Amino acid sequence: MLVHAYAAPAATEPLVPTTIERRDVGPHDVLIKIEYAGVCHSDIHTVNGDWGPQPFPLVPGHEIVGIVERTGAEVTRHRAGDRVGVGCMVNSCGRCANCRGGDEQHCSEGMVPTYAGTDRDGTTTQGGYSTHIVVDAGFVLSIPEGLDAAAAAPLLCAGITTYAPLRRWGAGPGKKVAVVGLGGLGHVAVKIAHAMGAEVTVLSQSLKKQEDGLRLGADHYYATSDPGTFTDLAGRFDVIISTVSVDVDVNAYLNLLALDGALVNVGAPPGPLTIGHAFLLTQPRRVLTGSMIGGVALTQEMLGFCAEHGIGADIEIISGDQINDAYRRVLASDVRYRFVIDAATLA
Ligand code: NAP
Ligand code: ZN
């Protein structure tokens, strides 16, 4: 089936309208008519070659919400007419210990990313900046009633990427959580950490978005451009989630952790993360770790949590011809707080 999409023809080139082929609906597949696709900073890293060579032409997009049009004969979980979502992966081996443990994103054979990956049939995956997608039913999430379709789309990546480490590292009542960077991931992290009951602090480059940060659920807001921030907050936090998309000095943030606190890096900047000295991890004892999206079951749990707490992303809906401008604005930290493409404008 030939469908409309927006693709990057080559690295760093602007995206252009195109058509791509979607595979026939197999017995385990779901055909989804896409309603909305979020613009994640990872799409921009990928297109810009920050993460190495990619298969071009490339259709990005891994924050997908739409309506099921058709299902394969073996599919029981989803039916035509259901509202569903697809995140950053569309397949995995399903047999290894990590897959069986619910960490399909860490499949030992390699999970299949939603775009720029090699699917199990050998074809290159193409993402959600498109009118339709065909996905194995095991990687199709149910969107709970009550979540707005457009505001839910970013939850499929930004939501699970922040929910997973907040849950794992115990964000909740009595815990002090800091979120570094108030962008797509960061603003969802603030909402989720607040809903989990934690005391939330935003660490942003400036105080420009302070009012928004407090409205989103933060209790405190500091500018990282002010050196006083790093002395005032030394030893303060139980959990710090860094969503920064550029190379970042993790040492400054390690110093803000309390005993046994964890600095979780979820940003994916191109350069190395360098630890200045072992004492930063030992005096006091601290954890430096990372996190990548989350498994299928945890993603479904996150969607339920967000529906229960009325959490969606704060979004600006754009049409296909505004994607390149949206990329420029994300790179300039001028996003409030996620661009979401209306897929109806791609045809
Ligand atoms: P985003 O909307 O662009 O947010 C990134 C934030 O980083 C910005 O809003 C900005 O916050 C801060 N920032 C940007 N430039 C900075 C600079 N020069 N110095 C300090 N801070 C700066 O991007 P996103 O979509 O949230 O993604 C964030 C990162 O997470 C990207 O690298 C992305 O690839 C990665 N990611 C990882 C996963 C995963 O599974 N681990 C999943 C999705 C995305 P302030 O303006 O508030 O300072
Ligand atoms: Zn993403």
Side-chain angles (χ1 to χ4, degrees), residues 180-267:
V180 190
L182 194 68
L185 265 56
H187 92 288
V188 174
V190 169
K191 291 188 184 200
I192 292 174
H194 173 71
M196 287 175 168
E199 184 181 322
V200 183
T201 300
V202 173
L203 301 173
S204 180
Q205 293 168 85
S206 72
L207 296 179
K208 268 192 291 196
K209 296 179 276 191
Q210 181 168 22
E211 215 172 285
D212 287 350
L214 300 177
R215 174 181 52 81
L216 295 166
D219 301 283
H220 316 283
Y221 202 104
Y222 289 85
T224 53
S225 53
D226 177 357
T229 293
F230 291 91
T231 43
D232 289 357
L233 301 179
R236 173 79 60 101
F237 299 107
D238 301 297
V239 184
I240 302 176
I241 308 282
S242 173
T243 73
V244 175
S245 51
V246 302
D247 294 334
V248 61
D249 176 15
V250 284
N251 301 289
Y253 295 98
L254 282 171
N255 254 328
L256 305 188
L257 289 175
L259 174 64
D260 287 330
L263 169 57
V264 189
N265 182 76
V266 298

Side-chain angles (χ1 to χ4, degrees), residues 39-43 51 62-63 88 115 154 156-158 161 185 293 338:
V39 173
C40 178
H41 204 120
S42 300
D43 303 347
W51 299 341
H62 59 206
E63 295 185 335
C88 302
Y115 58 82
L156 276 306
C157 173
T161 300
L185 265 56
I293 52 172
R338 198 58 140 186

